[in-house]
Amino acid sequence: MSMERNDQSTTSSQPPGDMAGDLDVERDSDVPISTQIFWQLAYQIDSGRLLPGARLAPVRELGAALRVNPNTIRAVYRRLADAGYVTSRHGAGTHVADRPPERRGAEALAGIIAEMLRRAAQAGFTPDEVAAAAFAAATERKRPGELVHVLFAECTNADAGYDAARLNDAFPGLIEVEGTLLDDLPDRLERFHYDLVATTTFHADEAQALVHGRVPVVAMLVGPGYVELVHEIAGLKAGSRVGLVCASERGTENMAETLALSGTTGVELLTASLEADEDLALIDRTADVILLSREAIANGLADRFSRAERIRRWSYDFDPSGLELLRRAVEPIAAARRTETEAVPAGA
């Protein structure tokens, strides 16, 4: 009898915290418990519920919550690491990789489908009904819908998802915004329908090149607080050291590029990712100013640095003029969509 079967009980459990969402196990399933957990965690990473840099629950904590042997959880985490989903370092825990695997293969897809079927069965739907709904949804994603579809591109998944949510809140009932990495723009535009792409002015040229004229690109201005921060760094005296801390190497590269475009010269930039302990220690010892990305702050890195007065939050709010620019781009599309709908005879 396997270790998973020795851990069986009659109930399902949730792991602690929101990070793992509603992760649970089916004790009477023919699928091994370790595979169930792997599939569900892979699904949460694939779907963006677990963002790059997010820390997974400690092995013993998750095992206790799910009433599963810790060795089973260790095996799941090793399997996720082998597949490129997570990285683990002694003393730092297990975190979602900066950039999870782009082509995840049949195994992860099977996990997503198994999770979808399981949840549908709990709600009383048959596999045939799920398959029909999935086909209809996929078809719908390739053609215009009632709302204007906007794809917001940024250099990290966390920023893209966060900004997409803010734009959805700013234009309720008018647009449907999804976040994506800049590098993934061509693939997303190839697979699904979007009416336009939005990004910040910092990425406008790159987005235009990647979109290649397929849809309009709206470059949105950011608020004055962010601009003032950039100008502060540009105004530092020559020889100053600035620490850049982000969840991914791409993120720190973007921060450095933005500073360069703003006219920052003679300043030494020190970069570090969330788990680069030696780089973080060097920044703490030598940096005059430390810039922390949204992910870095969310992961508690502000507490790792002495002299808190050096720390600056590298994030932005959209300037009202940027939101107005997006509105002006969206409203003609929405008006045309309404006209098309009204022109279709009832019952057609």
Side-chain angles (χ1 to χ4, degrees):
M1 186 176 291
S2 69
M3 182 176 294
E4 288 95 347
R5 295 301 178 186
N6 285 332
D7 287 323
Q8 288 179 358
S9 69
T10 58
T11 61
S12 294
S13 305
Q14 279 194 329
D18 294 334
M19 179 204 67
D22 52 358
L23 184 69
D24 57 14
V25 294
E26 295 292 329
R27 308 292 173 174
D28 57 353
S29 172
D30 292 333
V31 178
I33 288 176
S34 62
T35 298
Q36 292 182 42
I37 298 171
F38 171 83
W39 279 351
Q40 291 180 73
L41 287 173
Y43 169 78
Q44 297 224 7
I45 296 170
D46 283 336
S47 65
R49 295 183 187 180
L50 285 174
L51 295 171
R55 183 174 183 178
L56 274 62
V59 166
R60 292 192 177 278
E61 188 177 346
L62 183 57
L66 294 177
R67 303 183 67 181
V68 170
N69 192 293
N71 288 331
T72 298
I73 304 301
R74 288 191 184 94
V76 170
Y77 283 6
R78 284 196 298 270
R79 188 172 170 186
L80 288 167
D82 291 341
Y85 283 102
V86 302
T87 59
S88 299
R89 289 186 62 183
H90 182 69
T94 300
H95 294 75
V96 177
D98 289 346
R99 186 138 189 210
E102 294 182 15
R103 301 298 179 187
R104 298 172 175 88
E107 185 175 38
L109 180 59
I112 295 172
I113 293 172
E115 173 74 2
M116 179 172 63
L117 290 172
R118 184 181 67 81
R119 294 185 183 280
Q122 290 177 340
F125 295 101
T126 68
D128 285 345
E129 289 173 321
V130 174
F135 179 80
T139 303
E140 179 67 25
R141 288 293 305 277
K142 294 181 180 180
R143 63 171 182 259
E146 181 179 350
L147 301 179
V148 177
H149 289 181
V150 178
L151 189 59
F152 186 87
E154 252 292 355
C155 60
T156 68
N157 277 313
D159 284 334
Y162 182 82
D163 290 333
R166 288 197 293 177
L167 291 176
N168 277 318
D169 290 341
F171 298 94
L174 181 61
I175 64 177
E176 179 180 329
V177 190
E178 298 175 12
T180 188
L181 291 172
L182 281 158
D183 292 343
D184 292 341
L185 274 174
D187 180 63
R188 293 290 289 272
L189 291 172
E190 182 69 27
R191 294 167 56 198
F192 305 118
H193 170 85
Y194 297 100
D195 295 293
L196 58 86
V197 166
T199 188
T200 62
T201 53
F202 304 109
H203 299 302
D205 290 342
E206 185 177 3
Q208 288 279 11
L210 291 167
V211 170
H212 202 59
R214 281 179 282 190
V215 295
V217 175
V218 177
M220 301 182 63
L221 294 171
V222 298
Y226 184 77
V227 177
E228 289 171 4
L229 173 60
V230 172
H231 288 167
E232 176 190 349
I233 304 304
L236 291 174
K237 64 181 180 180
S240 298
R241 284 189 163 192
V242 177
L244 311 180
V245 184
C246 189
S248 66
E249 182 179 347
R250 174 64 189 274
T252 55
E253 289 175 353
N254 172 70
M255 295 164 76
E257 181 181 353
T258 300
L259 293 174
L261 291 172
S262 71
T264 301
T265 58
V267 173
E268 183 179 357
L269 302 179
L270 307 174
T271 63
S273 59
L274 303 187
E275 298 180 3
D277 293 337
E278 292 184 3
D279 294 336
L280 292 170
L282 177 62
I283 288 175
D284 191 29
R285 290 196 308 270
T286 65
D288 299 293
V289 177
I290 302 173
L291 306 180
L292 299 184
S293 71
R294 182 178 291 114
E295 306 100 305
I297 292 175
N299 280 273
L301 262 71
D303 297 332
R304 294 193 55 165
F305 299 104
S306 58
R307 293 163 43 214
E309 69 275 7
R310 298 178 297 165
I311 295 175
R312 307 287 188 275
R313 184 184 181 95
W314 185 265
S315 63
Y316 56 82
D317 292 315
F318 292 115
D319 188 86
S321 63
L323 294 173
E324 180 60 24
L325 185 64
L326 180 61
R327 180 185 299 279
R328 292 181 181 183
V330 165
E331 286 184 338
I333 300 173
R337 191 74 42 80
R338 288 192 296 269
T339 300
E340 292 170 2
T341 302
E342 293 168 356
V344 177

